[in-house]
Amino acid sequence: MKHFRRALLGMTLATVSVSAWAQDIIVSGTVKDATGEPIIGVSVIQKGTSNGAVTDLDGHFSFKAPQGSPLVVSYIGYATQELKAGSNMTIELKENTKQLNEVVVTGYTAEKKADLTGSVAVVKMKDIADVPTGNVLQSLNGRVAGVNITTDGTPGGNNTSTLVRGTTTINNSSPLYVIDGVMTRDGVGSILSSNDVESIQVLKDASSAAIYGAQAANGVIIITTKHAKKGETKVDFNASLTLQRFVNNYDLLDANQWGEVYWQAYKNTYGTHPNSLIYGNGDKPVLNTSTPYYTGAQGQTYTAANTDWLDLMYKTALMQDYSVTLSRATDKGATSLSVNWINQDGMLKNTDYQRLNTRLTTDYKFLNNKLRIGESVAINYWTQHQAQGGIEEQLIAQHPAEPVYDSMGGYAGGYIDVLNDKPNPVRLQDNQKNNKHQYWRIFGNAYLEIEPIKNLVFRSNVGVNYYNEFSKTFVPSWIESSRTVNTNELDTYHYHSINWVWTNTLNYNIDLGEHHIGALLGYEAKKLTSEDLGGYGQGLVSETTDYRYLNAVTSLAKVRGIGSNYSMDSQFMKLNYSYASKYLLAFTLRRDASSRFGSNHNSGIFPSVSAGWRISSEKFMEKTHSWLDDLKLRASWGINGNDEIDNEATYTKYLVSLSNASYNLNGDNQHLSSGASKTHTGNSDLKWEQTQQINFGLDATLLNQRLTATLDYFYKKTTNMLFEPPYPGVLGEGGYSWQNCIDMDNSGFEMTLGWRDRLHNGISYNVDFNGSFYTNEIKKLPEAIYYTFGGGMPGQSIVGHPFGSWMGYKTDGVFHTQEEVDEYKKKYDVQIGAPGVGRIKYLDINGDGKINTADQTWLGCDRPKFSFGVNLGASWKGFDLGLFFNGMVRKAWNNSKYYTDLFQTWNGNHSTRLLDAMNAWTEYQSTGYYNCDTPALTTLDSNNEARGSDFYIENGNFVKLKTATLGYTVPKSLLDKISLRSLRVYFQMQNVFTITNYTGADPEGLGYTYPQPRTFTFGLTLGL
């Protein structure tokens, strides 16, 4: 009993002690910087909770918290501290040098971001982590100054192209991708999952990219994948479910409206109404949906309908994305395994994409970290059902009165009366349902690093990119109305390639007081081998999927096959020097020898030099330190190359063929002997296509690193561009030959601005802006193509204009009155077209008083004059909100106006703008004034309005809310209770809205592309 009383007394005292320790107190104090000045807006939070305060104008804070509980003190531009809660605290924050010491990968090595002298953009991966996509490059669109991403809504994101600082060459202008040291120009989406990406750097100028020499003229994008970090075993899981909705920017006529427009157009042309199987022969059109307009051979009937082809072919679709990563790292090694599965249904009927990505990454250390080995290997498998080529355009042009199916369930068709001759798009896309497209890729690298002496590192890296593709395309026999095709056909295609690269480098870095020297020497060899094999045939006896093989064809059996090789041998060096991180100098030199060039010029030298001056470190700048954190000026010059041409460009090639090069040698007119025909003329004097570039830049951080700015001006001159010009017919077959013959200039200005801060109420926010201005100009053409290249004509060369410029007629709206028409015809000798009220008015550009082909001129191009992106972010107590806008300033050639705005040029569907034209003509008949900008309705193109003119050119400017994201991160105090390391849930919308005057499908992706969907995504990221 005595011992029990003692134990009870001890427990009571312990409880009282714990209660006393846990009792809340008034936590208060002042936060100052190193000079003793108070800091406003510092966040002082009890760790693992939302309990805390923000410092006031005098740097003071005060709130209740348990005595001795851990506090987290943080402020932008300063290192975060953890302290124990108390009263009357004095806290001194130290400036955060993390930004200046941040290391970025710049090609075969890594450098401090603060010491960079070239133009290098670093992508903020946290800004794109939530974007659901099969291709990580899609999410970069508008987020990096100087980088233009063109994409569409194709499932998997494989129709994505990238330009760095505009179009550098008329050949392949896509940048070089370097993934874990392995170079490729293949689609990034087929190589890795977005969840595997650790960092992305873009090398934009010649100085930063010159280390890649002949492959770097179009810029370099370096992607580094995730490796396990030291710590306990971790499991990370990401999942998202995305709803994709079709967004239609076209307002097209329905079948009844089409009839009304047709009746008016016919009356305007001939003065009476037409006679139609589909719409009758009365004063007003009546869509005949009861009487068949055609009866087939098997008794099937075809009756007009009111079909909305866009609504029929596009649907709401789902996309699922799951990823899991297991990782563990110790002092001696690290291992990471990731698996990703994407299943994306396309909005377009019978299109989809499925992909399985796996990646294994290991890193091991031996001999006290003097020996390091590792690898990163990804195995990817994906399948897809594709859209029929050109179907996006066809759905706009398809006649709305054409039915989908006949009376027996077969495919209906037009080819009769007013129905056009385009095939049934449902049939075309149904054919894709069983067509097989399968792909494999093995992509990875293995490395060995040895550090024989301090600061000297030898690295040997072997990379492999193996690709295998198989496709089977079958077109069954079919019947559509009056048209019958009784023969089916099968095409089978197989392609595989292997690309290996072996890189060996010596890297030495040493600090001698305030002097830092870094030197890199390297040797690299790579080779690409590819081969394809295909077969084609017709007349398969059975059309079931079990018999769709080449051995089942009965006629027109053909085989084809070809192989190709390409290799490069390279030596390179780089020297970096800095004094006190104030005076910076870098020199790079690379020699490349390519098998694509002949022995006369198969190697090229690519040098670069750059310098930087951290002017903010000078003594005369000391008075600016209160508001200027860092200011660096940069300048660079260099030469990059491009060898993206045919692998056999230097060789004269012949094709041995029975069909194209046979001859009846014995003269019996019956037996043919195979011969060889010349297909290409070699050129052993081909030189490297070279791009010389200068760059001037500025990097600055201000106001305790709250404001950041990067400005760059560049000028690129590409000379000796490779081109196959037309040849005189007297040369005979195979006269095409690659030549160095075109020069082109690019210049531009880029800016990146960022602001981040924390408000007194604890809300942190950031605003980031990037913008790019560009100009492009063809500077030189050979005499043979001076007036014909790029769409030119006699007296109108594209020299002095941007590559991709349009040639055509200038217009001045339409004629509104008969008086305008009479005055115009009196003033000009109209040799093309027939002016009339409501017709397009073409201008006399050369001033000769004639309207003819000589009035064609350059009309501009769709290259962006200015592109930009704005990212807005805010966070508060675990909640985060992000809004990303992007936009462009440019002209746009809206080729859909050929269908939508001109009734006479196409016997298919049109825009509802023709209803305005119809009503305007009715008004004109009573007022004498045609009050409409859309050309008047007619069935004859007597004014030749299908010709290329600025009638088709529109203001292509747009601003788009690309993504809007709302997320919540569960606090650590709650996670500890449920044994989780991290948990975040989010909701995101993509393509929320677009502000534009463009009347086509999408100003972001011009032409007839697979439409970009408006998406709604629910996702979570979870860590164990």
Side-chain angles (χ1 to χ4, degrees):
M1 188 68 179
K2 181 180 180 181
H3 293 293
F4 175 75
R5 287 198 299 268
R6 287 180 178 176
L8 182 60
L9 178 61
M11 291 172 60
T12 302
L13 292 174
T15 303
V16 172
S17 299
V18 171
S19 300
W21 178 87
Q23 185 177 1
D24 285 353
I25 65 170
I26 300 297
V27 180
S28 61
T30 304
V31 181
K32 301 179 179 180
D33 62 16
T35 65
E37 291 293 321
I39 307 177
I40 308 167
V42 178
S43 174
V44 185
I45 303 293
Q46 181 184 347
K47 187 175 182 180
T49 73
S50 58
N51 180 38
V54 177
T55 58
D56 59 20
L57 293 173
D58 298 316
H60 296 319
F61 65 90
S62 177
F63 63 96
K64 287 184 178 182
Q67 173 76 32
S69 59
L71 303 180
V72 177
V73 185
S74 61
Y75 186 64
I76 295 170
Y78 291 86
T80 299
Q81 295 186 26
E82 287 195 19
L83 304 168
K84 291 185 177 181
S87 300
N88 299 319
M89 303 173 68
T90 299
I91 304 172
E92 180 182 316
L93 291 185
K94 297 180 179 180
E95 289 190 9
N96 188 359
T97 60
K98 182 178 179 181
Q99 271 195 320
L100 294 179
N101 294 325
E102 182 182 353
V103 174
V104 297
V105 179
T106 57
Y108 304 104
T109 186
E111 301 177 47
K112 287 173 60 176
K113 184 178 179 181
D115 290 346
L116 294 176
T117 53
S119 182
V120 180
V122 180
V123 178
K124 297 179 180 179
M125 297 305 298
K126 67 179 183 65
D127 292 339
I128 63 175
D130 298 333
V131 178
T133 177
N135 189 334
V136 68
L137 293 181
Q138 282 187 318
S139 55
L140 300 187
N141 191 13
R143 296 183 183 270
V144 182
V147 178
N148 183 32
I149 308 291
T150 303
T151 188
D152 62 12
T154 300
N158 289 329
N159 283 357
T160 301
S161 61
T162 308
L163 290 178
V164 177
R165 289 188 164 177
T167 302
T168 303
T169 175
I170 63 172
N171 298 301
N172 184 358
S173 278
S174 66
L176 176 71
Y177 302 106
V178 181
I179 304 174
D180 289 339
V182 183
M183 292 161 286
T184 181
R185 294 188 190 272
D186 293 337
V188 173
S190 68
I191 296 174
L192 49 77
S193 162
S194 301
N195 292 308
D196 286 336
V197 178
E198 176 74 25
S199 65
I200 299 177
Q201 285 84 35
V202 183
L203 314 184
K204 297 188 287 187
D205 70 330
S207 171
S208 59
I211 195 68
Y212 292 102
Q215 305 163 90
N218 303 323
V220 180
I221 297 179
I222 298 178
I223 301 176
T224 304
T225 59
K226 294 177 181 177
H227 288 235
K229 295 179 174 60
K230 186 178 178 181
E232 71 277 5
T233 301
K234 296 179 181 178
V235 179
D236 293 285
F237 175 73
N238 298 273
S240 66
L241 179 65
T242 300
L243 187 73
Q244 308 165 94
R245 290 186 59 189
F246 172 59
V247 181
N248 180 19
N249 196 41
Y250 290 110
D251 193 2
L252 301 176
L253 300 170
D254 64 26
N256 292 301
Q257 292 170 331
W258 195 98
E260 294 174 9
V261 168
Y262 174 47
W263 245 241
Q264 183 67 61
Y266 196 93
K267 184 177 180 180
N268 292 350
T269 307
Y270 300 107
T272 185
H273 61 75
N275 186 359
S276 168
L277 285 173
I278 306 299
Y279 290 99
N281 58 2
D283 291 334
K284 294 183 178 181
V286 177
L287 181 65
N288 188 351
T289 58
S290 58
T291 304
Y293 61 82
Y294 183 77
T295 301
Q298 300 176 5
Q300 72 274 28
T301 59
Y302 300 82
T303 306
N306 192 350
T307 306
D308 186 337
W309 292 101
L310 291 175
D311 183 67
L312 179 71
M313 295 294 288
Y314 290 107
K315 65 183 186 302
T316 299
L318 289 177
M319 173 182 176
Q320 302 174 71
D321 188 351
Y322 306 101
S323 178
V324 61
T325 302
L326 293 82
S327 61
R328 178 173 174 80
T330 65
D331 292 334
K332 295 184 178 180
T335 303
S336 175
L337 174 66
S338 66
V339 179
N340 173 250
W341 168 251
I342 288 180
N343 185 0
Q344 183 177 6
D345 288 330
M347 295 182 301
L348 180 63
K349 183 181 176 69
N350 293 328
T351 60
D352 57 40
Y353 178 86
Q354 293 87 33
R355 188 188 70 200
L356 177 66
N357 289 72
T358 62
R359 178 177 291 274
L360 176 65
T361 302
T362 59
D363 301 277
Y364 291 100
K365 305 172 184 177
F366 304 94
L367 305 177
N368 294 322
N369 202 26
K370 298 295 183 182
L371 173 64
R372 299 177 289 272
I373 62 174
E375 54 76 32
S376 178
V377 177
I379 301 177
N380 307 321
Y381 171 75
W382 68 101
T383 65
Q384 61 182 338
H385 289 96
Q386 301 175 346
Q388 173 73 32
I391 197 167
E392 295 88 358
E393 176 183 358
Q394 183 174 338
L395 292 176
I396 299 168
Q398 200 77 11
H399 202 292
E402 183 180 329
V404 181
Y405 302 105
D406 62 31
S407 59
M408 295 183 178
Y411 296 109
Y415 315 103
I416 290 177
D417 195 56
V418 296
L419 304 182
N420 59 57
D421 59 356
K422 283 190 175 292
N424 189 321
V426 174
R427 175 183 65 81
L428 294 178
Q429 205 53 41
D430 280 350
N431 288 349
Q432 298 291 335
K433 183 165 52 179
N434 293 313
N435 286 340
K436 194 176 184 179
H437 303 278
Q438 295 178 322
Y439 311 84
W440 280 94
R441 189 185 294 278
I442 301 174
F443 190 98
N445 72 296
Y447 71 88
L448 166 70
E449 280 188 352
I450 302 174
E451 192 172 350
I453 61 174
K454 185 178 180 181
N455 299 325
L456 178 65
V457 177
F458 167 77
R459 180 182 175 96
S460 184
N461 188 86
V462 177
V464 174
N465 180 5
Y466 173 77
Y467 175 74
N468 191 301
E469 173 185 345
F470 177 80
S471 65
K472 183 185 292 186
T473 304
F474 178 73
V475 180
S477 56
W478 53 273
I479 299 174
E480 288 183 8
S481 182
S482 61
R483 186 176 179 185
T484 301
V485 174
N486 293 318
T487 304
N488 55 47
E489 57 184 77
L490 173 67
D491 186 274
T492 299
Y493 175 74
H494 176 243
Y495 171 87
H496 70 90
S497 66
I498 183 167
N499 186 3
W500 61 260
V501 55
W502 183 28
T503 307
N504 296 278
T505 58
L506 272 174
N507 201 339
Y508 184 73
N509 289 276
I510 188 170
D511 292 304
L512 302 172
E514 293 188 304
H515 301 272
H516 173 79
I517 300 174
L520 173 73
L521 291 175
Y523 169 79
E524 188 169 76
K526 73 172 188 176
K527 185 172 183 178
L528 168 67
T529 302
S530 63
E531 184 175 352
D532 66 62
L533 178 67
Y536 172 85
Q538 296 182 354
L540 283 76
V541 176
S542 173
E543 295 190 347
T544 62
T545 56
D546 291 338
Y547 291 89
R548 294 180 182 180
Y549 296 96
L550 287 176
N551 63 354
V553 303
T554 59
S555 63
L556 294 182
K558 299 178 182 179
V559 294
R560 61 188 185 276
I562 195 169
S564 183
N565 294 279
Y566 161 59
S567 59
M568 180 177 284
D569 184 86
S570 310
Q571 304 84 40
F572 52 89
M573 62 163 288
K574 185 172 185 178
L575 181 65
N576 290 330
Y577 169 78
S578 70
Y579 174 73
S581 290
K582 181 165 57 174
Y583 306 114
L584 312 167
L585 184 67
F587 173 73
T588 304
L589 185 67
R590 177 161 178 144
R591 176 189 179 273
D592 287 316
S594 171
S595 64
R596 287 173 173 162
F597 295 94
S599 56
N600 295 347
H601 303 284
N602 80 320
S603 64
I605 304 294
F606 305 97
S608 77
V609 62
S610 60
W613 178 23
R614 179 158 283 105
I615 191 172
S616 57
S617 296
E618 298 290 353
K619 289 186 178 180
F620 61 80
M621 296 289 289
E622 289 181 352
K623 292 183 179 180
T624 66
H625 289 178
S626 61
W627 57 272
L628 180 63
D629 306 313
D630 186 63
L631 175 61
K632 180 177 63 177
L633 306 179
R634 297 178 280 105
S636 67
W637 168 90
I639 298 176
N640 301 138
N642 185 16
D643 70 344
E644 285 296 296
I645 58 170
D646 182 31
N647 288 341
E648 294 85 29
T650 63
Y651 300 99
T652 297
K653 295 187 290 185
Y654 295 87
L655 175 66
V656 177
S657 171
L658 183 64
S659 59
N660 296 323
S662 59
Y663 194 76
N664 180 225
L665 294 177
N666 61 12
D668 62 2
N669 293 324
Q670 295 183 10
H671 299 89
L672 297 176
S673 300
S674 295
S677 61
K678 186 179 178 182
T679 59
H680 183 269
T681 300
N683 182 1
S684 58
D685 289 322
L686 279 181
K687 298 179 181 179
W688 290 83
E689 184 176 300
Q690 293 189 344
T691 298
Q692 185 174 176
Q693 184 175 179
I694 59 173
N695 191 98
F696 298 101
L698 175 152
D699 301 315
T701 59
L702 304 90
L703 305 175
N704 291 328
Q705 299 186 32
R706 284 179 292 182
L707 177 62
T708 60
T710 297
L711 307 176
D712 279 281
Y713 167 79
F714 71 89
Y715 171 76
K716 294 196 295 185
K717 184 175 185 63
T718 303
T719 57
N720 293 321
M721 269 193 289
L722 297 156
F723 180 66
E724 280 188 301
Y727 62 93
V730 294
L731 294 180
E733 295 178 332
Y736 282 107
S737 177
W738 285 96
Q739 306 291 329
N740 296 103
C741 56
I742 301 176
D743 293 353
M744 182 168 63
D745 287 359
N746 280 276
S747 63
F749 177 74
E750 301 163 353
M751 69 180 78
T752 301
L753 304 174
W755 173 266
R756 56 186 183 138
D757 202 355
R758 184 189 294 270
L759 303 177
H760 293 294
N761 56 12
I763 295 178
S764 297
Y765 70 96
N766 64 276
V767 179
D768 296 292
F769 171 83
N770 74 81
S772 307
F773 298 86
Y774 293 114
T775 62
N776 173 278
E777 184 179 344
I778 296 289
K779 301 295 290 187
K780 173 190 169 185
L781 289 172
E783 183 178 352
I785 58 172
Y786 189 81
Y787 290 111
T788 57
F789 178 81
M793 56 180 291
Q796 296 276 6
S797 173
I798 197 174
V799 172
H801 298 276
F803 177 57
S805 292
W806 307 305
M807 170 66 70
Y809 297 86
K810 286 192 174 184
T811 65
D812 184 22
V814 300
F815 294 100
H816 295 284
T817 65
Q818 186 60 45
E819 289 76 11
E820 284 184 50
V821 175
D822 296 339
E823 182 180 351
Y824 182 86
K825 294 170 71 173
K826 182 178 179 181
K827 184 176 181 181
Y828 301 111
D829 176 13
V830 181
Q831 299 178 358
I832 296 179
V837 175
R839 304 272 53 86
I840 296 175
K841 183 192 298 185
Y842 296 94
L843 299 181
D844 178 21
I845 295 300
N846 61 3
D848 64 355
K850 301 176 183 178
I851 305 297
N852 54 26
T853 57
D855 290 311
Q856 295 181 85
T857 188
W858 295 106
L859 303 175
C861 69
D862 61 9
R863 300 190 181 281
K865 298 177 181 177
F866 176 61
S867 58
F868 65 91
V870 179
N871 191 58
L872 308 176
S875 61
W876 178 73
K877 293 184 177 181
F879 290 95
D880 61 89
L881 175 67
L883 301 174
F884 175 66
F885 298 83
N886 71 319
M888 284 185 182
V889 175
R890 67 172 176 187
K891 293 181 177 180
W893 185 285
N894 184 4
N895 48 3
S896 66
K897 292 180 73 173
Y898 174 86
Y899 299 116
T900 59
D901 287 30
L902 298 174
F903 186 89
Q904 69 273 22
T905 57
W906 172 246
N907 193 25
N909 210 355
H910 309 280
S911 167
T912 54
R913 288 188 292 274
L914 295 194
L915 296 176
D916 298 332
M918 181 178 66
N919 295 330
W921 188 263
T922 301
E923 181 181 344
Y924 162 74
Q925 290 177 316
S926 60
T927 65
Y929 186 84
Y930 181 74
N931 189 21
C932 187
D933 294 328
T934 302
L937 301 178
T938 180
T939 58
L940 294 179
D941 189 20
S942 58
N943 200 37
N944 194 18
E945 291 174 349
R947 63 178 124 164
S949 72
D950 61 8
F951 167 76
Y952 296 95
I953 300 175
E954 296 185 346
N955 181 341
N957 304 347
F958 71 90
V959 176
K960 178 177 288 190
L961 178 52
K962 194 67 177 177
T963 62
T965 307
L966 177 64
Y968 178 71
T969 301
V970 178
K972 189 176 185 304
S973 58
L974 181 58
L975 293 175
D976 291 340
K977 295 179 181 179
I978 57 178
S979 301
L980 291 180
R981 178 169 47 86
S982 63
L983 176 62
R984 179 174 180 269
V985 294
Y986 62 91
F987 171 73
Q988 183 183 91
M989 292 180 62
Q990 276 188 288
N991 299 311
V992 184
F993 64 78
T994 303
I995 302 173
T996 185
N997 290 323
Y998 179 67
T999 63
D1002 186 354
E1004 188 175 13
L1006 303 178
Y1008 303 107
T1009 60
Y1010 196 115
Q1012 294 193 59
R1014 177 170 295 143
T1015 66
F1016 306 85
T1017 300
F1018 294 91
L1020 68 86
T1021 60
L1022 182 150
L1024 298 175

